Amino acid sequence: MGGQYRIKGDKYPRMRRPRRRGRLVVATVASAAAVGLIGWGTLQLIDVFTGGGGEASAAGPKADCRTGATPSATPTAPAALPKPGKVTVNVFNATTRSGLAKQTADELKKRGFKIGDVGNAAKEFDKKVKGTGLLLGPAASLNTSLPVLATQLSTAERRTDPAREGEAVDLIIGNGFKELTKRADADKTLAALAEPKPTPTDKKAC
């Protein structure tokens, strides 16, 4: 080339491409974020299809967050309660009203109980039972015959006599007696005794 623009010497200017470090960093970060999102999504899908993982299943029944109690796996075994037909009841009247013993005995018989002696109460109880009644039986009847008879007069006092023999139990009618528990209500209570519901166990954190 001629003129005043003449290249002298043996060094020439070099043309460099603009640096792309910024773009490379952005691309790397975006790739890492995409991989992370894919992994998280995969874990969520696994959790959905497996029902929340093995730890929750192995932990057993979940605690009730409202009550703080965990229901027991199996209901408490019911006690060996006798049927009304296996319970012999002596009915005694400790009040001044006549006819209560026979009337009450007849009603208990209709409800399936066996009736033993019927009459006035012994001197130690005569006119001395202020409540609706007193259920009295041997020590062995505390968790057997007495609870069954108590379904028929729920407000009566229960008492056992260790020295007493036999299996019969007494219903001693007190001054506050009006009538036996309604039969429908007594039947419901009797059924509940035979089939207790599961009991709550210790509290667990939710």
Side-chain angles (χ1 to χ4, degrees):
M1 293 174 59
Q4 58 180 343
Y5 301 102
R6 182 176 297 175
I7 299 174
K8 298 180 180 181
D10 55 356
K11 294 182 179 181
Y12 301 94
R14 296 180 181 180
M15 303 299 291
R16 295 182 180 180
R17 295 182 178 180
R19 296 181 179 180
R20 297 183 178 179
R21 288 184 180 179
R23 294 182 181 180
L24 181 60
V25 171
V26 173
T28 303
V29 172
S31 299
V35 172
L37 287 174
I38 292 173
W40 180 81
T42 303
L43 290 175
Q44 292 298 312
L45 288 174
I46 293 174
D47 186 61
V48 169
F49 286 105
T50 57
E55 293 183 1
S57 300
K62 294 183 179 180
D64 188 340
C65 294
R66 293 171 296 179
T67 62
T70 302
S72 58
T74 55
T76 304
L81 295 176
K83 298 291 185 180
K86 298 294 183 179
V87 179
T88 300
V89 184
N90 302 319
V91 183
F92 300 116
N93 184 5
T95 75
T96 57
R97 293 173 286 170
S98 62
L100 282 182
K102 186 180 184 305
Q103 179 183 344
T104 303
D106 290 344
E107 180 61 28
L108 287 174
K109 187 176 181 179
K110 292 178 182 178
R111 299 185 184 191
F113 289 86
K114 286 185 176 181
I115 303 301
D117 297 332
V118 179
N120 294 325
K123 186 177 180 179
E124 61 179 310
F125 298 112
D126 190 27
K127 302 179 184 64
K128 296 178 182 178
V129 180
K130 296 182 179 180
T132 58
L134 172 63
L135 308 183
L136 180 64
S141 68
L142 179 62
N143 296 315
T144 55
S145 300
L146 281 185
V148 174
L149 180 57
T151 61
Q152 310 304 310
L153 188 59
S154 58
T155 56
E157 177 189 353
R158 304 183 203 179
R159 190 184 303 175
T160 59
D161 182 1
R164 180 166 174 162
E165 298 180 355
E167 298 179 352
V169 291
D170 299 344
L171 191 165
I172 304 174
I173 301 172
N175 293 327
F177 179 85
K178 292 183 179 180
E179 62 179 2
L180 294 174
T181 301
K182 298 296 183 183
R183 186 166 184 174
D185 295 333
D187 289 343
K188 289 180 181 179
T189 305
L190 192 59
L193 285 177
E195 298 180 1
K197 297 180 179 180
T199 55
T201 57
D202 57 330
K203 296 182 179 180
K204 292 185 178 180
C206 297

